[in-house]
Amino acid sequence: MRVLLVGGGGREHALSRSIAASPLLTRLWAAPGNPGIAEHAECVPIGVEDIPALVAFARDNAADLVVVGPEAPLTLGLADALAAAGIVCFGPSAAAARLEGSKAFCREVTSAAGVPGAEWARFDDPAAARAYVRAKGAPIVVKADGLAAGKGVVVAATVGEAEAAIADIMEARVHGASGATVVIEECLTGQEVSFFALCDGTDAVPLAAAQDHKRVGDGDTGPNTGGMGAYSPPPVFNDAMRDDVMNRIIHPTLAEMARRGTPFRGVLFAGLMVTATGPRLIEFNVRFGDPECQAILMRLDGDLLAALDAACRGRLRDLALGWSADPSLVVVMAARGYPGTPAKGGTIAGLDRAAAIPGARVFQAGTARRADGTLVAQGGRVLGIGARAPTLRAARDAAYAAVDAVEWPDGFCRRDIGSRAL
Ligand code: AMP
Ligand code: GLY
């Protein structure tokens, strides 16, 4: 198979490695890729949001399959444009990607499907939103409806904080047009789990679950980030919960999306809260999580490309994917300043020594290569340093041994990834 992978982060480095290991693969391109992905794919300088150029490249190079990593091209209609050109795409249509692109749409669909979630309401009018918050009391969660780079959610401890969030999102429009509508939700408590299922429009199979660390600082302190580390499987999530999530969250959502004429194909990422009464849905994403993808793919014993292809062709029923019982863990190394303005251009060395630690794997996310071959940091989350081992403790120790082999003065990481499970 000739495959085009869209994206250039740590998630796509993990995807490229697994796709490159498939006996089905004949040629792999990545747009735009990165220096790590270049070990497995030919990188082509096309941005992930340049839909016409991506479609033209896939058509001109007779790609059999386009695998889309990030959500932005999906919400912009990449899958639809590829379908119109007769090219198979792993990733949902723009209409189905609204499950991530609009929090109100996600809650409408999942409420109609009877999915266990949070009590919620949507508002286009700030005065009505304030009245609702006062009536419900705190804690309460205020969310900008649209995509806001992961920053549009405020978990408010007081009514005052919730009212300030309404003013920021709806009136000051700190996240732009995505704040024209807000969703206000009951605050769920418990442990968060990221769960992934492969979907072909009508059928779904579970992949694996992982736990992410969203705050920038040790002990879950400081601002939210895209994720500072992850491990899989999460001890709080057992096989009975997996079956429960498939039966009560994934399958009913797929059925409701199909009933609306917008079937979901791709990977459905359920952000779950494992509450005292079982798993409840916080939100859906329409793509693999990053860094969760690195953690779960380190545990995959099977052919990822065959699985993605089966999802695209409606053949999930026959799919048998194996998962290692050995846990995996990924530590994200970010550039000083992240999640604010990250330091750029610092040189990175020692990745070969890091990768040589038994069980360790290096994923590149925000890296670039200078003309002289030097690897430099470019972006916030720059490296994912992972390991798989017979125990989570051993995986953590190997991952941190690999982190310590990296020579990157501008980089930092959390030192407590996995501690909740240990
Ligand atoms: P999101 O950007 O939708 O992933 O939300 C960011 C984070 O906000 C989630 O990972 C949760 O930690 C938190 N969150 C969102 N919705 C809720 C909720 N209803 N109850 C508690 N926490 C929530
Ligand atoms: N790590 C969370 C995400 O990918 O959205």
Side-chain angles (χ1 to χ4, degrees):
M1 286 177 72
R2 297 160 67 83
V3 179
L4 171 63
L5 172 65
V6 177
R11 164 181 51 209
E12 289 78 24
H13 190 182
L15 289 168
S16 72
R17 191 185 323 242
S18 295
I19 291 170
S22 169
L24 299 176
L25 186 75
T26 51
R27 196 148 176 200
L28 179 61
W29 298 274
N34 70 32
I37 294 170
E39 293 162 18
H40 310 290
E42 298 163 57
C43 296
V44 291
I46 304 175
V48 301
E49 299 191 11
D50 190 347
I51 308 298
L54 291 168
V55 174
F57 183 90
R59 190 190 50 225
D60 295 349
N61 290 281
D64 301 301
L65 175 65
V66 177
V67 177
V68 186
E71 67 278 14
L74 296 167
T75 55
L76 292 172
L78 177 57
D80 310 80
L82 288 166
I87 300 162
V88 178
C89 176
F90 179 80
S93 66
R98 285 186 73 210
L99 281 176
E100 174 165 358
S102 164
K103 296 190 190 294
F105 177 77
C106 177
R107 286 295 186 203
E108 277 160 26
V109 168
T110 53
S111 290
V115 166
E119 192 189 339
W120 67 282
R122 72 170 274 171
F123 297 95
D124 306 307
D125 168 30
R130 282 195 188 88
Y132 182 79
V133 160
R134 285 188 207 119
K136 288 286 171 188
I140 195 157
V141 183
V142 181
K143 302 183 172 185
D145 178 55
L147 293 178
K151 295 182 179 128
V153 175
V154 176
V155 180
T158 63
V159 169
E161 265 177 54
E163 291 191 43
I166 292 165
D168 287 347
I169 295 171
M170 302 190 84
E171 290 165 347
R173 291 290 172 98
V174 293
H175 308 297
S178 59
T181 298
V182 293
V183 172
I184 301 184
E185 295 182 359
E186 166 193 7
C187 188
L188 303 173
T189 53
Q191 285 212 44
E192 280 187 61
V193 167
S194 303
F195 177 81
F196 301 90
L198 267 188
C199 305
D200 69 8
T202 49
D203 214 353
V205 295
L207 292 174
Q211 220 162 359
D212 187 11
H213 295 249
K214 286 200 196 283
R215 301 296 187 117
V216 74
D218 284 11
D220 292 326
T221 54
N224 256 319
T225 71
M228 294 299 291
Y231 53 95
S232 174
V236 295
F237 196 75
N238 56 33
D239 288 356
M241 282 185 202
R242 176 199 62 203
D243 295 344
D244 188 43
V245 169
M246 290 303 292
N247 292 334
R248 297 173 66 211
I249 297 181
I250 304 293
H251 284 300
T253 301
L254 284 191
E256 176 64 17
M257 290 297 282
R259 192 191 65 75
R260 291 170 178 239
T262 52
F264 185 91
R265 285 184 204 90
V267 61
L268 197 50
F269 164 174
L272 305 171
M273 190 72 85
V274 179
T275 70
T277 57
R280 290 163 75 178
L281 182 74
I282 298 176
E283 60 160 3
F284 276 131
N285 296 307
V286 300
R287 52 169 174 86
F288 282 102
D290 191 353
E292 292 97 320
C293 183
Q294 292 89 306
I296 71 167
L297 290 185
M298 275 194 283
R299 295 184 49 234
L300 176 64
D301 287 331
D303 186 336
L304 178 70
L305 182 55
L308 302 182
D309 189 53
C312 294
R313 292 174 204 282
R315 297 214 193 104
L316 281 182
R317 217 167 277 278
D318 313 324
L319 187 71
L321 272 180
W323 297 91
S324 168
D326 287 356
S328 61
L329 181 143
V330 180
V331 179
V332 168
M333 296 186 77
R336 186 165 35 80
Y338 178 77
T341 308
K344 264 197 184 180
T347 60
I348 300 168
L351 297 190
D352 289 344
R353 281 205 298 130
I357 303 281
R361 268 192 193 170
V362 172
F363 301 98
Q364 296 189 32
T367 57
R369 218 173 266 292
R370 282 206 302 244
D372 66 1
T374 315
L375 195 67
V376 295
Q378 180 178 268
R381 293 187 296 166
V382 172
L383 299 168
I385 309 292
R388 176 178 131 181
T391 64
L392 187 60
R393 193 173 293 276
R396 181 202 54 185
D397 292 347
Y400 278 109
V403 163
D404 291 335
V406 174
E407 294 157 40
W408 176 32
D410 279 345
F412 75 94
C413 66
R414 278 181 62 162
R415 283 278 156 187
D416 63 346
I417 302 304
S419 58
R420 211 182 301 136
L422 292 163

